[in-house]
Amino acid sequence: MKDTAIRPPLTLRTRDALVGWLFVSPITIGFLIFFVGPLVAVLGYSLTEWNLLTQQSTFAGMDNYADALGRNPEFWTVLRNSLVFAAGLVPLNMALALTLAVALSRPFKGVVIFRTIFFAPVVTAAVAWAIVWTFLLQGESGAVNQMLALIGIDGPNWLRHPDWAMFAVIVTRVFKTVGLNMILYIAALQSIPRDYEEAARLEGASGWQVFRLITWPLLAPTTLVIMVITVVGSLKVFDHIYLMTEGGPENGTLVLAFYIYEQAFEFFNVGYAAALAVILFLLIVLLTITQVILKQRGGER
């Protein structure tokens, strides 16, 4: 009779590890398929000259990156527009969100209604929001200019004027997204113990001193999260540009995300569009790391 080897039973540590991997396997598989896979594919496409219309593909090496960074002056205009959009949206969004949060963090009659009103645009469809604001910001027939006319102001055609189109898109985007940051700030404010404020009040501190010396420093972790989310969102903006200005007028609102769409699906230059996507990804990573480092250094001081 042939002896059969008996496998030793799995240790408790091994069983726990297997169970843990079993639970995280769905998200891990999804991460590999829907994030790592496309990222690797985009990196590969960026090294080719691939025309989506003719399906012809040839290896191009770093030519697409050279075209973007050195040979194509339009790229720098697009990059500048993206940074201007982010520089205008981020501080305005965060300042308005913090102001609303401070005003709506304390209980008073009707506070839930006000929170709902300011948060409602966040869950409103972006397409509907952009289309409504496109009608509101039209020339003489737009509701915004009609209200300005009542007080003697002749408003421009906001979305067709090179000097006002970027401003109009930024403001409408702020109104659309400020509610989410407001909720995050409200949650952070309500988690701060009231004892700190009461102790400061007993020492004679004013409301501004309490906010500047106690409340604001304690909001630093939440502020970092909000800043990163808002910066990333501002650099990836597409729907508002596509629906309201299509990058115009005179390329005044042509940002990176919309420029990538144009190159890939209007000019069918997939390789160049993939290189632009990689540049956008690296820019977002660089800005995120910079924000974290600056916030950590500020906290150490």
Side-chain angles (χ1 to χ4, degrees), residues 122-193:
V122 177
V123 295
T124 302
V127 173
W129 181 266
I131 290 175
V132 168
W133 274 102
T134 300
F135 283 107
L136 293 177
L137 294 172
Q138 286 180 346
E140 296 180 358
S141 61
V144 173
N145 282 345
Q146 289 180 0
M147 288 187 290
L148 291 175
L150 296 177
I151 56 177
I153 298 177
D154 185 16
N157 190 338
W158 299 93
L159 300 177
R160 296 294 176 262
H161 197 291
D163 296 333
W164 289 103
M166 181 65 79
F167 172 79
V169 175
I170 288 173
V171 171
T172 55
R173 183 72 175 184
V174 168
F175 290 161
K176 175 74 171 67
T177 59
V178 71
L180 177 61
N181 291 344
M182 176 196 72
I183 293 298
L184 294 175
Y185 267 132
I186 287 176
L189 286 168
Q190 291 180 341
S191 67
I192 298 176

Side-chain angles (χ1 to χ4, degrees), residues 237-288:
V237 63
F238 171 79
D239 45 10
H240 276 64
I241 302 298
Y242 177 76
L243 293 166
M244 298 181 72
T245 65
E246 294 185 343
E250 301 175 8
N251 290 340
T253 60
L254 184 60
V255 295
L256 261 174
F258 185 75
Y259 187 56
I260 293 170
Y261 164 80
E262 276 191 336
Q263 293 296 322
F265 301 108
E266 292 186 10
F267 305 138
F268 307 110
N269 192 353
V270 176
Y272 184 60
L276 294 173
V278 173
I279 293 173
L280 176 59
F281 173 76
L282 294 176
L283 177 62
I284 290 173
V285 171
L286 177 62
L287 289 177
T288 301

Side-chain angles (χ1 to χ4, degrees), residues 42-48 61-69 75 256 260 269-282:
V42 168
L43 288 172
Y45 294 151
S46 69
L47 302 176
T48 65
M62 302 298 291
D63 285 352
N64 289 321
Y65 294 96
D67 288 341
L69 299 176
F75 169 79
L256 261 174
I260 293 170
N269 192 353
V270 176
Y272 184 60
L276 294 173
V278 173
I279 293 173
L280 176 59
F281 173 76
L282 294 176

Side-chain angles (χ1 to χ4, degrees), residues 7 16 26 32 80 91 118 162 170 172-173 180 182 190 206 214:
R7 291 184 178 182
D16 289 342
L32 293 174
R80 183 197 63 198
F118 288 114
I170 288 173
T172 55
R173 183 72 175 184
L180 177 61
M182 176 196 72
Q190 291 180 341
S206 63
I214 298 176

Side-chain angles (χ1 to χ4, degrees), residues 99-114:
T99 302
L100 293 173
V102 171
L104 301 177
S105 61
R106 302 295 174 86
F108 62 87
K109 189 174 181 180
V111 65
V112 176
I113 296 176
F114 284 106

